Amino acid sequence: MSTVEETYERLKKVNEPKGYFFSNNQQMVMDLIEGLLTNKERYGYMCCPCRLASGDRDHDKDIICPCDYREADVAQFGSCYCNLYVSKEWNEGTIPHETVPERRPPEKFFFQWPGSDA
């Protein structure tokens, strides 16, 4: 099992060349990575720690980190929904730090198990 620090280094190495940086808020980043690892242990995949996962990989595939919404969020706001991944400009403070709205469709917020009557 990876530690938070090992995961940090691995994700940094993979994402920085793509233009995605970790937020300068080191404690928040480490807490979010810890949440990713908790979700990996819980569900078997690292889904976004800022969103409610169902435990069904197919249903949650859009929120497996990096989520499907990261690219658009960083392009528009300089940060992903969690503020885990940010642009260089966001870290430098040359663009405003706005709240990133949820892009996940509302129908994905809740999961109905197959065969349930709910």
Side-chain angles (χ1 to χ4, degrees), residues 27-39:
Q27 184 60 55
M28 180 193 69
V29 167
M30 295 310 223
D31 289 345
L32 289 169
I33 292 173
E34 185 174 349
L36 288 171
L37 293 173
T38 297
N39 284 341

Side-chain angles (χ1 to χ4, degrees), residues 25-52:
N25 184 333
Q26 187 72 18
Q27 184 60 55
M28 180 193 69
V29 167
M30 295 310 223
D31 289 345
L32 289 169
I33 292 173
E34 185 174 349
L36 288 171
L37 293 173
T38 297
N39 284 341
K40 184 175 183 178
E41 185 176 312
R42 184 179 291 152
Y43 304 119
Y45 49 94
M46 292 196 311
C47 55
C48 177
C50 299
R51 294 179 168 108
L52 184 60

Side-chain angles (χ1 to χ4, degrees), residues 19-21 74 77-79 85-92 95:
Y20 299 105
F21 301 88
V74 174
F77 298 99
S79 171
Y85 291 109
V86 302
S87 67
K88 183 179 174 187
E89 296 78 16
W90 195 91
N91 264 344
E92 292 171 346
I95 61 172

Side-chain angles (χ1 to χ4, degrees), residues 2 4-5 8-9 15 22 35-36 44 51 55 62 66-67 69 82 89 96 99 102 108 111 117:
S2 295
V4 172
E5 294 79 14
Y8 172 91
E9 291 301 328
N15 289 288
F22 285 130
L36 288 171
R51 294 179 168 108
D62 63 320
C67 73
Y69 315 104
C82 294
E89 296 78 16
T99 301
E102 176 62 88
K108 297 285 278 184
F111 179 75
D117 295 333

Side-chain angles (χ1 to χ4, degrees), residues 10 25 64:
R10 188 180 80 247
N25 184 333
I64 294 175

